Amino acid sequence: MIEVMKTDQVGFCFGVKRAVSKVLRELGKTGNKVYTLGPLVHNPQVVAMLEEKGAIPVDDVNNIEQGIVCYRSHGIRKEEEEYIREKGLVALDATCPFVKRVRTRALFLKKQGYTVVIVGDEKHPEVKSVLSYLSNDGIVLQHPRPIEAKKVGVVSQTTQDLETLNNVVGGLMEQVEEIRVYNTICESTFLRKKQAVELAKKVDAMLVVGGKTSANTTKLFHMVKKVQPNTYHIETEEDIRPEWFTGVKKVGITGGTSTPDFMTEKVERLVKNL
Amino acid sequence: MIEVMKTDQVGFCFGVKRAVSKVLRELGKTGNKVYTLGPLVHNPQVVAMLEEKGAIPVDDVNNIEQGIVCYRSHGIRKEEEEYIREKGLVALDATCPFVKRVRTRALFLKKQGYTVVIVGDEKHPEVKSVLSYLSNDGIVLQHPRPIEAKKVGVVSQTTQDLETLNNVVGGLMEQVEEIRVYNTICESTFLRKKQAVELAKKVDAMLVVGGKTSANTTKLFHMVKKVQPNTYHIETEEDIRPEWFTGVKKVGITGGTSTPDFMTEKVERLVKNL
């Protein structure tokens, strides 16, 4: 029988737990239509579960005429918030407080006269949200490049890895007189990666469970794969292929911040019975 | 004949030139005793030249009862400055303005509530000076180590290399919420290193001319030696050994910020006539 080991940090993180329960609580009340703007969290199974319970996912805020609008954990764009206010819709803010901290710090840095750099992925909704609150007056970087500035203020996407943040800051240091960095990488993401990498060294194969669109799960996967080539990113237990485990005695399991416990548990049961 | 190439950045830097001419100007006037506190610059030949012209070097400020006291380019310690003021001595401040900037930034950061980190060598007079103005309330680091702080403000010794600064900042990033860095490495030191490393790649041997106690010359030497193993740190042309140049066609010469032009020129002439 295959021995299965899991990281301590597994299951929903604080922000995801908070977002999901906010929406569930609202759905429990009657009479209100509850819209979620974009996927509430980057996990299709969780989104489907909420949909089953009555949540209505919409991509474009302009399609909502009335009811309750829930802001996703990655935050909302400034213009969306303005629309919601003007339209008189009821807002249910499920933005992760750690994501909001990125925005607060970025706005503070802008006010203080810094050129704001967000270390992150420009396509990710969290980064788009922060940038929108800066009225797009910010630079998104994942690698250092020449920028024209004397004073640079840096924040990081919450799911960023420290190595990338350090690399960008190092590259900017040469160019500027002052650099002020708020390390806004969230503790949970950071610990999860650390534990996963440690576990990966002790096992023969690793399974990283979580949404394919989840930034933190994808980063977790790539980080783990570096130390354990026999690593697979799966969304559900159905993605598992038995041939991965030929000659394997110990399997490590970890999951992204938006991966519910029941999903990693299903994976665990299946692997134990292989 | 051996071909000799020199870096553009060679000879006294701005701060050293300024310090030396301040003292020379003062020595040109009559009637005043001119003391220099510690070596004015870290070059024994320059210090000897000033001594010949009448400058009196002292290590301990308490030994001066009257006259003019010249502050060295690396800065003075706060308690020394206080003694000079109380004693009513005439101060001639030859502190390099870039060194003074380190102090100003460090004091500003302290006032703003940051735990101040100086990236530098705790034994170097520049660092000792900055630390004394912080009433020793600062941490001197050349490698990252765990520190207890939420907000860290970083300055660097002017002759620090960027790699060390980045390395320390990167190591602190993991531990703190905010890190505010003033890159106070002086432009001249930075350019000198860059040019020296480039030159070292084009030649068969490198000579780095400058005081053995000069921090910037020593760093320059180590940096150059990494790319050109056939590199020697010499104080004067007398240190040169002909056997270094067996089979050597091209020799590169550079010097520290406190190395006078005439000294690199003497080296150049000797090498050409080998």
Side-chain angles (χ1 to χ4, degrees), chain A residues 85-143:
Chain A
R85 205 175 31 241
E86 280 161 23
K87 201 81 183 175
L89 303 174
V90 182
L92 184 70
D93 189 353
T95 311
C96 167
F98 296 117
V99 169
K100 219 171 241 175
R101 190 177 58 177
V102 184
R103 184 204 296 173
T104 317
R105 300 301 200 205
L107 276 168
F108 169 78
L109 288 168
K110 188 184 162 180
K111 255 190 201 156
Q112 298 284 319
Y114 293 88
T115 298
V116 179
V117 166
I118 307 163
V119 181
D121 171 10
E122 56 181 1
K123 289 182 192 144
H124 195 277
E126 177 185 326
V127 174
K128 282 182 180 171
S129 163
V130 175
L131 205 54
S132 75
Y133 280 90
L134 293 172
S135 308
N136 289 313
D137 186 16
I139 301 169
V140 182
L141 294 180
Q142 281 196 301
H143 305 281

Side-chain angles (χ1 to χ4, degrees), chain A residues 101 105 114 151 162 165-166 169-171 173-184 190 194, chain B residues 101 105 114 151 162 165-166 169-171 173-184 190 194:
Chain A
R101 190 177 58 177
R105 300 301 200 205
Y114 293 88
K151 284 174 65 177
L162 194 64
L165 175 62
N166 281 344
V169 169
M173 197 88 81
E174 187 175 332
Q175 309 176 46
V176 301
E177 283 173 18
E178 185 194 340
I179 186 160
R180 187 165 177 179
V181 191
Y182 286 107
N183 176 0
T184 49
F190 180 72
K194 208 171 164 179
Chain B
R101 190 176 59 176
R105 300 301 199 203
Y114 293 88
K151 284 173 66 177
L162 194 63
L165 175 61
N166 281 345
V169 169
M173 196 88 81
E174 188 175 330
Q175 309 177 44
V176 302
E177 284 172 19
E178 186 193 338
I179 185 159
R180 187 165 177 178
V181 191
Y182 287 107
N183 175 0
T184 47
F190 180 72
K194 209 171 163 178

